């Protein structure tokens, strides 16, 4: 709970002021902590970005692990996509800050964040592999990997482009449309001349 307070306070400040212009003292104040209490949770301001990354990862993992595997592989993939997109919707600010401020991470810290991203993509690769194993999809490893990457980015797009997308779609409409496009590709949307 206190960790969540700190993350919310820091994310709000990072959105307003940016990572570099935000001080740990301001993060403590925005979190309702003393500076001493803040340092019980972090050593540096950069550590807050680790916590934001971990929170996003934990939410995605929790949602995908909660997928009911009794509905068939394509159904499971569809539900997994919906859960992921909903997490991005609920954590739009965290996702946006993570990507705006990832450039602020040190060369030692950046691999940690990138590893977490790849682990989230791997969760989708697993769901797609189940579709292949059950004969519901016919894809090779490179296609599986690319589809998983596409799903991951399409979810993030809701956070990055919400200012434009929310004028046209609700999150539920976005999930349906993106899932249709991911499954159908552009077949049927173009004519050969």
């Amino acid at each position: 709970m206190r960790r969540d307070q700190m993350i919310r306070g820091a994310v709000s400040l990072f959105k307003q002021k940016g990572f570099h212009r935000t001080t740990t003292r301001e993060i403590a104040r925005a979190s309702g902590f003393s500076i001493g209490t803040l340092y019980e949770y972090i050593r540096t301001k950069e550590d807050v970005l680790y916590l934001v990354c971990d929170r996003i990862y934990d939410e995605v993992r929790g949602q995908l692990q909660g997928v009911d595997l009794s509905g068939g592989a394509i159904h499971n993939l569809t539900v997994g996509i919906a859960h992921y997109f909903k997490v991005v919707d609920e954590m739009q600010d965290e996702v946006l800050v993570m990507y705006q401020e990832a450039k602020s991470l040190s060369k030692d810290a950046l691999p940690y964040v990138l590893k977490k991203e790849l682990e989230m993509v791997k969760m989708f690769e697993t769901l797609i592999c189940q579709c292949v194993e059950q004969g519901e999809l016919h894809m090779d490893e490179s296609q599986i990997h690319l589809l998983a990457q596409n799903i991951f980015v399409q979810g993030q797009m809701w956070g990055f482009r919400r200012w434009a997308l929310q004028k046209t779609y609700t999150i539920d409409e976005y999930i349906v449309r993106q899932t249709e496009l991911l499954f159908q590709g552009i077949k049927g949307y173009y004519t050969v001349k």
Side-chain angles (χ1 to χ4, degrees):
M1 173 140 150
R2 294 188 105 186
R3 191 152 132 162
D4 288 342
Q5 281 177 264
M6 182 181 46
I7 290 170
R8 279 193 303 276
V11 164
S12 175
L13 287 168
F14 293 161
K15 272 183 59 186
Q16 290 171 10
K17 300 177 69 170
F19 178 80
H20 290 295
R21 292 190 320 231
T22 300
T23 67
T24 52
R25 195 166 297 284
E26 289 170 323
I27 293 171
R29 195 175 320 118
S31 305
F33 296 168
S34 69
I35 193 75
T37 301
L38 181 72
Y39 282 119
E40 290 176 22
Y41 292 90
I42 62 169
R43 291 169 311 184
T44 67
K45 185 170 54 170
E46 195 173 71
D47 289 346
V48 176
L49 291 179
Y50 284 127
L51 295 176
V52 171
C53 177
D54 284 344
R55 185 159 181 250
I56 294 167
Y57 173 79
D58 291 343
E59 283 294 319
V60 170
R61 187 184 65 222
Q63 288 293 324
L64 292 182
Q65 285 178 341
V67 171
D68 176 12
L69 298 177
S70 64
I74 290 289
H75 171 76
N76 297 341
L77 178 58
T78 303
V79 170
I81 291 169
H83 284 322
Y84 169 59
F85 285 14
K86 292 266 184 167
V87 168
V88 172
D89 181 53
E90 292 165 12
M91 301 183 78
Q92 289 177 25
D93 291 341
E94 289 91 337
V95 169
L96 191 59
V97 162
M98 202 59 237
Y99 285 94
Q100 286 175 335
E101 302 304 340
K103 65 186 178 295
S104 301
L105 293 169
S106 69
K107 288 181 181 176
D108 295 332
L110 188 57
Y112 177 83
V113 171
L114 298 178
K115 179 178 177 273
K116 287 290 188 180
E117 267 199 17
L118 291 176
E119 289 173 8
M120 286 187 272
V121 169
K122 187 73 177 156
M123 292 177 206
F124 286 107
E125 288 178 350
T126 300
L127 288 172
I128 298 164
C129 283
Q130 290 172 354
C131 296
V132 171
E133 288 165 8
Q134 292 185 19
E136 295 180 41
L137 287 177
H138 304 286
M139 304 178 102
D140 63 29
E141 280 186 41
S142 68
Q143 291 168 322
I144 291 168
H145 181 71
L146 190 56
L147 178 57
Q149 294 282 352
N150 281 334
I151 292 167
F152 189 73
V153 170
Q154 294 308 318
Q156 292 172 344
M157 187 170 86
W158 180 255
F160 299 148
R161 307 266 316 151
R162 64 184 173 203
W163 59 272
L165 292 169
Q166 289 176 337
K167 293 176 185 174
T168 308
Y169 308 103
T170 65
I171 182 62
D172 292 322
E173 291 167 337
Y174 180 79
I175 291 167
V176 168
R177 296 291 171 247
Q178 282 293 12
T179 304
E180 285 174 354
L181 286 173
L182 284 164
F183 285 1
Q184 294 173 8
I186 61 169
K187 283 185 179 176
Y189 290 95
Y190 67 94
T191 54
V192 178
K193 294 183 180 185

